[in-house]
Amino acid sequence: MDGSTPESATDVPTPRAGYQGEPGSFSARAAARAGRPVAHATFDRLLRALLAGEIDVAVLPAATHGAGPLVEPLEALARVLEAAAVPLEVREEIAVPVRLVLAAPPGVAEEDVREIHSQPPVLRQCARLLARRDAVPVETHDTAFAARRVAELGGARAAVCSEEAALEAGLVVLEEDVSDVKPNATRFWSVALRSEAEPAIRALLFSGPRLAAALHDAGAEILMLPGRPGASVGGFATVPAGALAKAAGLAAKAGEALVWLGPAPDHVPPPRLREAPRATEVRAATVVTAGAFAVGGGRRAVIAGPCAVESPEQAMRLARAVARAGATALRGGVFKPRTSPTAFQGHGLTALRWLREAGDAVGLPIVTEVMAPAQVEPVARVADVLQIGARNCQNYDLLREAGAAGRPVMLKRGFGTTIEEWLSAAEYILTAGCRDVLLCERGIRTFERATRGTLDLGGLLAARSLTHLPLLADPSHAAGRRELVPGLARAAWGAGVDGLMIEVHDAPESALCDGPQALLPDDLEMLLDEFGLLPGRTGSVERVRRAIDAVDSSIAALAARRLELCRRVAEVKKATGRPIRDEAREATVRERFAETLGKDATKAAGLADALIALGLEAEGWEGDATRR
Ligand code: PEP
Ligand code: MN
């Protein structure tokens, strides 16, 4: 009878149900429950027949009870879904109880069996049998074929298959029920082109691990596939009816690639935005810490180091130099975003180890850039702070990935990004779970060509009143020229930034990246002295003395100014007829010194006394200044 001939009085044709394998196999049994079985040699041929309309449904084994997903058929299905925009659906699931027997040609004794033939997933379920028999597993594409093959070859071979297939092939059953999985069943999916009717199973193919975890938590069954060359790791999920809307919402939020088998649920609840943390929330300043490094809420930081990590020696030298200068974190690029694809691209994860060792040697946390989602996990395992570069400021996949990595993230402002867009980009990181976000202005692109970028201090000040997140400035990339860096750094520091990022190199002329904008270590030292940062503990006595000298110069200059002011106040007092000496005022001055110097109050009193005496002298007081 022709398959298209109506068979019943109601004139409904029996569907043609394709399967992979041979008559007598479990797949043939499953296909028989979906329609008239039609055999195909491979899963790919089976699915091609479905797409070509040669069969009405393809019956694929999807999972075994206890032994999980069946990789070969699911991968074939994934390939079709990825390659063709054909809407497929999983119409129903068919569970076929599986009783596997060990069967051999007549005359072969059980203890003589040296080879056991069957399908890979079946062999995996018979590990105990294989071990007990000390037999070599031989893979075939189908259990019924294994039986026929063993019958043909003869000798000390056996097959694991259904009893029916064994008898069909003329084999003798040596042992019954040989699977380790009991009770054993294979679950088949009948896959068809999408129809009007609501399918019984809602399945989807997903690409990323985040979605897998979220769907699993929502109650979906996950059938993971191992990574395939050229494809992202993923798998299938079957979603219970009650969790459809939730799954659709999760899928929309995760932003990972997915294909619904069957129609996607129409009601997708919008993500609950109220719960998303805002960069603009009115709250206490966020203080970001990483080891001894702290920035925000009055804590000020300087991140310094080379543009790119070039060698272990260079990383170590510059780590020592920036620590000595007083920097509070070490930077260094290992993945470099370069304008030209032929420019040095960074030494990658190897260089990250050099940077880590250098940071550890001087006790500084390390900051490095990630350019791609795939870099986030390996970099976050090693680095203390992840940097997102200007070019990736609005790369939302990267922002989400970095935000989920469990490390603080420093987001550079894109050179064409408004303050509002920059803060929104930061919210992607916050929403992904990271509360420790640092914002770094690094120069925007304007009409000006005299500098590499234009350091937008106005924008930074505007951002200050909008966000609780720490704000940093990077004068190096903004200037592009070493000689402009200290001035821009002072301007930003004076404007009240929470921190600076500064590029440093000790041989800028041979630097592999951004040499012209790198400060020399000595220049960094002088600059950080001006900002009152303490030199690192690993520095030399000379280095600390230089910082003391810088402080002394400031004190001397301030003392001179104080004397000048004393002379000025004396003039005003004379003109208004007030007495030169005012002991209540002197007490206030002493208190101020005692307050600032705290535990050194006696010394503070001495310093205050000396200044007051000098002041009185400058004011022309001729009495005994030490008399109170
Ligand atoms: C860097 O910090 O080395 C860098 C590439 O910065 P930006 O992304 O600001 O250009
Ligand atoms: Mn750089």
Side-chain angles (χ1 to χ4, degrees):
M1 195 198 308
D2 178 2
S4 59
T5 307
E7 289 184 340
S8 72
T10 51
D11 263 16
V12 177
T14 306
R16 296 158 298 177
Y19 68 96
Q20 181 273 343
E22 307 197 353
S25 63
F26 295 105
S27 294
R29 244 185 252 179
R33 295 207 351 222
R36 187 170 66 79
V38 185
H40 293 81
T42 66
F43 291 113
D44 290 298
R45 284 192 205 167
L46 169 63
L47 289 165
R48 271 208 304 275
L50 177 68
L51 300 185
E54 293 161 17
I55 50 176
D56 302 302
V57 292
V59 178
L60 290 170
T64 56
H65 181 87
L70 291 166
V71 173
E72 293 82 0
L74 291 180
E75 284 196 337
L77 182 58
R79 273 196 298 277
V80 168
L81 289 166
E82 282 168 343
V86 192
L88 295 179
E89 66 187 19
V90 177
R91 205 161 278 174
E92 58 171 338
E93 196 169 277
I94 302 165
V96 173
V98 170
R99 241 173 83 86
L100 294 165
V101 302
L102 180 73
V108 176
E110 196 172 344
E111 51 280 12
D112 295 337
V113 171
R114 286 293 160 265
E115 271 179 20
I116 296 184
H117 295 230
S118 198
Q119 250 183 340
V122 171
L123 290 169
R124 276 198 292 278
Q125 288 174 38
C126 298
R128 282 201 211 117
L129 171 74
L130 285 162
R132 185 152 42 81
R133 289 271 143 257
D134 192 23
V136 177
V138 178
E139 296 184 357
T140 61
H141 71 286
D142 178 76
T143 50
F145 175 79
R148 278 210 287 110
R149 183 100 181 112
V150 162
E152 266 165 37
L153 292 172
R157 297 184 174 86
V160 175
C161 55
S162 68
E163 187 170 12
E164 190 185 340
L167 299 179
E168 182 79 23
L171 302 182
V172 175
V173 174
L174 298 179
E175 193 177 332
E176 291 190 358
D177 208 4
V178 290
S179 168
D180 301 333
V181 183
K182 286 177 187 134
N184 198 4
T186 298
R187 288 156 48 202
F188 291 82
W189 285 355
S190 75
V191 177
L193 298 184
R194 193 171 297 168
S195 61
E196 291 296 305
E198 190 70 5
I201 302 285
R202 280 300 181 81
L204 59 90
L205 170 68
F206 61 84
S207 67
R210 192 146 356 112
L211 188 52
L215 288 169
H216 178 266
D217 291 346
E221 184 195 19
I222 305 295
L223 301 176
M224 284 304 280
L225 296 177
R228 287 163 291 148
S232 43
V233 179
F236 288 88
T238 55
V239 183
L244 269 180
K246 187 164 182 204
L250 290 169
K253 237 204 228 148
E256 291 170 353
L258 70 97
V259 180
W260 279 97
L261 280 85
D266 356 292
H267 175 63
V268 179
R272 272 178 287 168
L273 288 179
R274 258 185 314 117
E275 282 176 17
R278 308 299 304 261
T280 50
E281 190 186 333
V282 178
R283 44 160 285 187
T286 292
V287 184
V288 176
T289 56
F293 171 82
V295 59
R299 313 285 205 96
R300 305 185 90 181
V302 173
I303 305 167
C307 178
V309 179
E310 299 170 6
S311 68
E313 297 75 26
Q314 176 247 22
M316 192 62 81
R317 278 198 322 273
L318 290 171
R320 290 196 201 291
V322 305
R324 198 172 82 142
T328 47
L330 173 66
R331 64 151 283 150
V334 302
F335 294 108
K336 293 306 306 172
R338 302 305 298 278
T339 304
S340 163
T342 55
F344 171 63
Q345 305 285 308
H347 287 308
L349 294 176
T350 309
L352 185 56
R353 282 199 300 278
W354 304 336
L355 188 68
R356 175 80 269 168
E357 279 162 22
D360 287 346
V362 297
L364 290 184
I366 59 172
V367 182
T368 200
E369 176 168 354
V370 285
M371 285 169 55
Q375 290 165 1
V376 169
E377 198 267 331
V379 170
R381 244 186 278 147
V382 180
D384 299 290
V385 178
L386 305 178
Q387 174 176 330
I388 306 272
R391 292 155 190 81
N392 280 312
C393 179
Q394 290 176 294
N395 179 341
Y396 300 121
D397 282 349
L398 182 60
L399 298 178
R400 269 191 285 253
E401 196 70 27
R407 295 283 192 185
V409 178
M410 184 174 79
L411 177 63
K412 292 250 188 136
R413 180 180 175 190
F415 27 69
T417 310
T418 65
I419 297 295
E420 196 184 340
E421 288 164 341
W422 186 25
L423 296 179
S424 295
E427 287 176 354
Y428 273 83
I429 305 173
L430 294 170
T431 304
C434 172
R435 297 305 168 103
D436 292 334
V437 179
L438 305 152
L439 296 167
C440 181
E441 152 65 31
R442 46 77 72 209
I444 53 172
R445 184 161 288 178
T446 66
F447 56 85
E448 185 53 70
R449 289 289 165 269
T451 48
R452 183 175 174 179
T454 298
L455 187 68
D456 184 16
L457 288 180
L460 263 184
L461 289 172
R464 180 66 299 159
S465 62
L466 295 175
T467 184
H468 53 89
L469 298 172
L471 290 165
L472 290 84
D474 168 355
S476 306
H477 289 88
R481 286 157 50 196
R482 171 175 319 115
E483 65 274 24
L484 306 183
V485 171
L488 287 178
R490 285 186 202 106
W493 197 262
V497 292
D498 297 298
L500 295 170
M501 167 170 266
I502 299 177
E503 286 190 347
V504 180
H505 207 288
D506 54 1
E509 60 297 333
S510 55
L512 294 180
C513 185
D514 286 351
Q517 70 195 32
L519 280 193
L520 292 163
D522 283 351
D523 300 333
L524 182 73
E525 284 185 7
M526 287 194 292
L527 194 60
L528 299 201
D529 284 346
E530 284 180 35
F531 297 158
L533 269 81
L534 289 177
R537 290 176 208 285
T538 52
S540 61
V541 169
E542 286 65 37
R543 158 69 189 123
V544 184
R545 281 198 176 144
R546 221 166 7 215
I548 292 173
D549 290 345
V551 171
D552 286 350
S553 304
S554 305
I555 293 176
L558 287 172
R561 181 168 160 76
R562 190 176 198 286
L563 290 183
E564 203 47 54
L565 288 167
C566 288
R567 281 183 208 109
R568 181 68 46 92
V569 84
E571 281 166 25
V572 182
K573 281 174 185 167
K574 263 183 218 143
T576 53
R578 283 172 63 165
I580 295 284
R581 184 123 200 229
D582 180 342
E583 291 188 16
R585 164 93 187 142
E586 285 169 22
T588 314
V589 173
R590 283 193 186 87
E591 262 167 39
R592 178 171 307 122
F593 275 77
E595 230 171 61
T596 310
L597 291 169
K599 57 183 171 14
D600 296 322
T602 329
K603 285 176 215 135
L607 192 57
D609 284 345
L611 282 170
I612 289 165
L614 275 173
L616 284 171
E617 199 184 306
E619 288 182 53
W621 170 257
E622 281 164 0
D624 178 4
T626 59
R627 183 192 56 79
R628 291 195 203 155

